[in-house]
Amino acid sequence: MLWTSSVVLRRDIEQHQHNLHEFVVCLKGAVSITINDESHQLLSGHSVFIPAQYQHSITTDKNTETKLLFACIAPPSFDNLSTPANSLYLKTLSKGGFLTNNLNSSSQHSTQGMQKIANELEIQPISSSPLNVCLKENLYLRLLLIHISNAGYEQQANAQSSLRMTNAQDWINNNYTMDITLDKVAKQVNLSRSHFARQFRQHTGFSFIEYLLKLRCDAVAKNLASSNTDITEIAFASGFSNLSHFYRHFKRRYGITPGAFRLMIKHQGVTLRP
């Protein structure tokens, strides 16, 4: 059986778990829901599906009034909603896929659709009549399918972003010895300077310049260890155009000067492949 309730949340809900699938739609305000130690931020019109037995807690935004719609259903009843067309999606939901739908502003139409159906479900009378049960289940299923669709779009966008950053990373790896800039790399993947910089840091853990300097310093280190080529020549060949800049960043990365690094490697008998 499907149980629904809308609640104005005025306090946090501590971590707990239960035997029901729990679907939460944020109708107003903002809330943070932690599921199995992973936090998800929900704004108005966003939703989250919490499979049965998943540990979860809810933290409210004390500065805004938060209203949530809770829809809970036992796994056997949830399975009964399955049809040949939706069975794969519902099964994915119940196993923890498509947990969140936290869309950005470009998906305003989908967000409004989610809120409209959630409001319809909220005002349904408490009744065990077959007609009322059927109506509530249909509204619930429509919410789930919008949630799945939106969550899928978000995953697709994340995958596309990840592919772009991988391509950018490959391009930098192949061209770090050249005079490359943030603007040039952003142009390679058709992103603005600021958008690329933010996504690149999220993808690699480094800013663009940190990543570029790391590549260049590591290339110098490998050449110092494997050849007797002049240090200045190696630095310029690795993409550095300013020697004081090179010495400063090399020492920052390795803790010693390039000359001391070469002596240390030779004394230790270590060979680094270029």
Side-chain angles (χ1 to χ4, degrees):
M1 184 174 177
L2 177 65
W3 170 84
T4 63
S5 178
S6 60
V7 177
V8 175
L9 207 60
R10 294 187 172 87
R11 61 180 180 83
D12 298 343
I13 298 177
E14 295 182 354
Q15 181 171 281
H16 64 287
Q17 67 185 89
H18 45 65
N19 296 324
L20 302 175
H21 293 320
E22 184 174 333
F23 185 54
V24 184
V25 181
C26 185
L27 299 176
K28 183 179 180 181
V31 69
S32 176
I33 299 183
T34 300
I35 306 172
N36 287 349
D37 297 324
E38 184 176 345
S39 182
H40 305 273
Q41 187 71 25
L42 269 66
L43 302 177
S44 181
H46 296 171
S47 55
V48 62
F49 186 90
I50 308 167
Q53 300 300 335
Y54 273 46
Q55 294 274 0
H56 57 284
S57 61
I58 301 178
T59 304
T60 61
D61 184 341
K62 303 300 187 298
N63 297 319
T64 61
E65 182 180 82
T66 300
K67 185 177 183 181
L68 303 177
L69 173 70
F70 292 91
C72 297
I73 190 170
S77 298
F78 182 83
D79 293 341
N80 289 337
L81 299 175
S82 178
T83 67
N86 68 31
S87 60
L88 177 62
Y89 303 114
L90 296 189
K91 186 175 182 180
T92 302
L93 262 183
S94 66
K95 292 186 178 297
F98 303 126
L99 283 180
T100 58
N101 150 33
N102 46 359
L103 298 168
N104 54 36
S105 58
S106 65
S107 303
Q108 190 68 26
H109 178 72
S110 296
T111 301
Q112 290 174 348
M114 173 75 74
Q115 285 181 299
K116 182 179 179 180
I117 299 171
N119 288 333
E120 287 186 53
L121 186 57
E122 178 190 10
I123 63 175
Q124 291 303 308
I126 299 175
S127 171
S128 58
S129 72
L131 182 60
N132 181 257
V133 170
C134 184
L135 180 59
K136 289 181 70 173
E137 287 183 348
N138 282 335
L139 289 171
Y140 173 69
L141 187 56
R142 286 172 64 191
L143 277 178
L144 288 183
L145 293 177
I146 292 176
H147 170 88
I148 292 167
S149 176
N150 291 340
Y153 286 140
E154 183 183 26
Q155 289 182 0
Q156 186 178 19
N158 288 341
Q160 185 179 21
S161 172
S162 179
L163 179 60
R164 276 182 168 176
M165 292 305 102
T166 298
N167 290 339
Q169 199 172 352
D170 289 342
W171 192 86
I172 297 170
N173 291 345
N174 292 327
N175 295 279
Y176 68 88
T177 60
M178 300 170 59
D179 179 23
I180 62 175
T181 63
L182 178 63
D183 290 324
K184 286 182 180 178
V185 185
K187 189 175 181 180
Q188 288 291 322
V189 291
N190 298 315
L191 290 175
S192 69
R193 173 190 176 94
S194 59
H195 196 182
F196 168 74
R198 183 171 61 254
Q199 286 194 14
F200 188 80
R201 180 181 283 278
Q202 290 173 347
H203 182 75
T204 65
F206 298 96
S207 70
F208 163 73
I209 193 63
E210 288 170 345
Y211 187 80
L212 181 61
L213 288 171
K214 172 181 174 295
L215 284 178
R216 288 174 173 172
C217 286
D218 289 350
V220 170
K222 290 176 181 178
N223 277 285
L224 288 173
S226 61
S227 75
N228 293 316
T229 306
D230 181 72
I231 293 175
T232 299
E233 186 178 340
I234 292 175
F236 287 145
S238 300
F240 288 100
S241 58
N242 182 293
L243 284 180
S244 62
H245 181 75
F246 156 64
Y247 276 100
R248 182 170 68 254
H249 287 290
F250 188 93
K251 188 172 183 180
R252 181 180 297 170
R253 176 154 178 77
Y254 287 97
I256 54 177
T257 65
F261 179 87
R262 172 174 268 172
L263 288 174
M264 180 189 71
I265 293 295
K266 286 186 176 180
H267 284 311
Q268 292 179 352
V270 177
T271 301
L272 300 180
R273 294 182 180 179

